[in-house]
Amino acid sequence: MVGIDQVLEKLSTVIDPDLKKDIVSMGMIKDLELNDGNLKFTLELTTPACPFNVEIEDDVRKAIGEISELKNFDMKVTAKVMEGRSLEADTGMASVKNIIGVASGKGGVGKSTVSLNLALALAQTGAKVGLLDADIYGPSIPLMLGMKDGFMEVEDNKLQPADSHGLKVVSFGFFADQSNQAAIYRGPIISGILKQFLVDTNWSDLDYLIVDLPPGTGDIPLTLAQTIPITGILVVTTPQDVASNVAVKAVSMFEKLNVPIIGVVENMSHFICPNCNEKHYIFGEGGAKKISEQFNMPFLGEIPLNSGIMAGSDLGKPIMITNPDSPSAVAFRKSAKNIAAQCSILAAKLQDEMAAESSEPTPEPTN
């Protein structure tokens, strides 16, 4: 009769393609029961947005199918997002598992559009997602979500995020009439506002908080990196050299601050002709891949140029909601899954580092 050890041995042959570890050692097998040839357990994936979830599930079924002595097999599949940052070191935001800053070297690359649609793509997988519009000078997320009249309440001295399409949303745009007023603040005030948005907001339990940073390497990106532990930075650029060369400066800044770089996404990568279905590289080709190769970081996706994205942003109707089957929406979903995978990789690395530190012997006191 088959035993539990035999089952676990078979399951340990299934390797997570991202983490390069077997699912048993990763603790992804839960509530295993084996009674008289009847096997039952839960497969707990590292994120609902993992690009290899179906592959892992198929490999598990194949491995179990090789055990001929089993009579019945019942597997439940769930997902629990890994913590990609040290929550113990962040008492102010201890309920947010991953914080992803979205940065660019310059404006005009569609960073806010990418931030919004990636957040929506992650939320559509079932993850709990928040979106912080950290561009105090020019907040655009409320407009893109059709929330020009949106607002945030304060309860128990905590800001309560607005809700939109399953996202928890915070933006300075909820506090001022952006059409008639300009935000004129010095650096310390800007930094103080961002800190309040981070630690004085009731983010509740989030798997991912996407922080849409202003372009460049100014006070706000610096404040984010120095205020709280974050999972990493996603860099957004366009194909042409003028954008990718400036994006390199943002990468360099965060590397100097010892903030992990999750990877790079290329926006406006190409135009797909609706008549011939051919790709046309209007702004050049390969800018993001050059950055990826130069800094040895993952190239996570390319978003095609689409007039529907622009129109949707102006009308407050994101393309992930209005046209989820479009090539652009498909590209956002693919990029979001790759980003989630990189967060899991960083989380596993963090766990290994913490385990190594805890196993180190305590130095003997010196007299």
Side-chain angles (χ1 to χ4, degrees):
M1 181 66 66
V2 64
I4 289 180
D5 290 343
Q6 184 180 351
V7 171
L8 291 177
E9 184 179 355
K10 273 292 182 183
L11 289 173
S12 64
T13 65
V14 179
I15 307 297
D16 185 303
D18 282 320
L19 306 180
K20 312 300 185 204
K21 296 181 180 180
D22 71 88
I23 62 173
V24 174
S25 65
M26 283 295 298
M28 295 165 67
I29 303 300
K30 307 287 186 182
D31 306 324
L32 191 148
E33 298 179 9
L34 179 61
N35 296 308
D36 194 27
N38 297 304
L39 176 63
K40 179 181 179 181
F41 62 80
T42 297
L43 172 64
E44 186 177 82
L45 300 164
T46 58
T47 168
C50 176
F52 296 107
N53 282 354
V54 175
E55 181 179 325
I56 295 172
E57 185 177 343
D58 289 343
D59 287 347
V60 169
R61 294 187 184 279
K62 181 179 178 181
I64 294 300
E66 295 174 356
I67 306 176
S68 58
E69 297 95 329
L70 287 177
K71 298 177 182 177
N72 296 297
F73 169 45
D74 181 16
M75 179 175 68
K76 179 182 178 182
V77 182
T78 63
K80 181 180 179 182
V81 175
M82 299 176 69
E83 298 166 0
R85 63 194 199 95
S86 176
L87 299 187
E88 294 180 358
D90 186 9
T91 56
M93 298 183 70
S95 63
V96 181
K97 293 180 179 178
N98 293 279
I99 297 178
I100 302 169
V102 183
S104 67
K106 64 184 295 294
V109 300
K111 176 184 49 57
S112 294
T113 299
V114 171
S115 298
L116 170 58
N117 284 284
L118 288 177
L120 289 169
L122 286 170
Q124 288 174 3
T125 68
K128 300 173 184 176
V129 184
L131 178 60
L132 170 55
D133 182 0
D135 192 345
I136 309 300
Y137 292 113
S140 56
I141 295 298
L143 173 65
M144 291 179 172
L145 282 171
M147 302 176 70
K148 289 189 293 183
D149 297 325
F151 63 94
M152 295 186 296
E153 296 181 349
V154 178
E155 294 180 11
D156 299 325
N157 294 321
K158 286 279 188 180
L159 285 170
Q160 306 300 313
D163 291 299
S164 180
H165 302 292
L167 301 178
K168 299 289 185 182
V169 184
V170 168
S171 172
F172 190 68
F174 293 138
F175 295 94
D177 182 0
Q178 296 302 310
S179 62
N180 298 318
Q181 297 184 25
I184 305 173
Y185 301 108
R186 293 188 181 273
I189 295 178
I190 290 290
S191 297
I193 294 172
L194 178 60
K195 288 178 181 178
Q196 277 197 298
F197 282 169
L198 289 167
V199 301
D200 292 336
T201 296
N202 179 23
W203 288 112
S204 64
D205 295 321
L206 292 182
D207 295 318
Y208 304 99
L209 174 61
I210 307 297
V211 183
D212 178 25
L213 296 168
T217 55
D219 291 301
I220 293 178
L222 195 62
T223 298
L224 174 68
Q226 296 179 334
T227 300
I228 55 172
I230 65 177
T231 305
I233 295 296
L234 174 68
V235 178
V236 177
T237 186
T238 48
Q240 64 266 49
D241 289 341
V242 68
S244 58
N245 288 342
V246 178
V248 164
K249 296 181 180 180
V251 175
S252 298
M253 182 191 77
F254 287 110
E255 284 193 333
K256 290 179 181 178
L257 294 170
N258 294 319
V259 176
I261 305 296
I262 293 173
V264 58
V265 168
E266 186 174 88
N267 193 31
M268 309 181 203
S269 177
H270 54 269
F271 173 72
I272 301 176
C273 175
N275 297 321
C276 64
N277 210 33
E278 288 187 8
K279 290 183 179 180
H280 299 273
Y281 294 91
I282 298 173
F283 299 120
E285 186 176 358
K289 288 184 178 179
K290 290 178 185 177
I291 297 175
S292 171
E293 293 169 359
Q294 179 180 350
F295 289 90
N296 192 28
M297 63 183 183
F299 176 59
L300 300 177
E302 48 188 15
I303 312 300
L305 188 65
N306 187 317
S307 61
I309 296 179
M310 177 192 68
S313 296
D314 290 343
L315 297 173
K317 298 179 179 179
I319 198 165
M320 289 301 303
I321 302 299
T322 59
N323 197 356
D325 298 323
S326 65
S328 296
V330 171
F332 278 123
R333 275 196 294 273
K334 182 178 179 180
S335 298
K337 289 182 177 182
N338 289 336
I339 291 164
Q342 290 302 312
C343 287
S344 294
I345 291 171
L346 290 171
K349 182 180 178 181
L350 179 63
Q351 289 181 359
D352 290 343
E353 291 173 351
M354 294 174 65
E357 289 177 3
S358 63
S359 63
E360 290 180 358
T362 304
E364 295 289 336
T366 56
N367 295 325

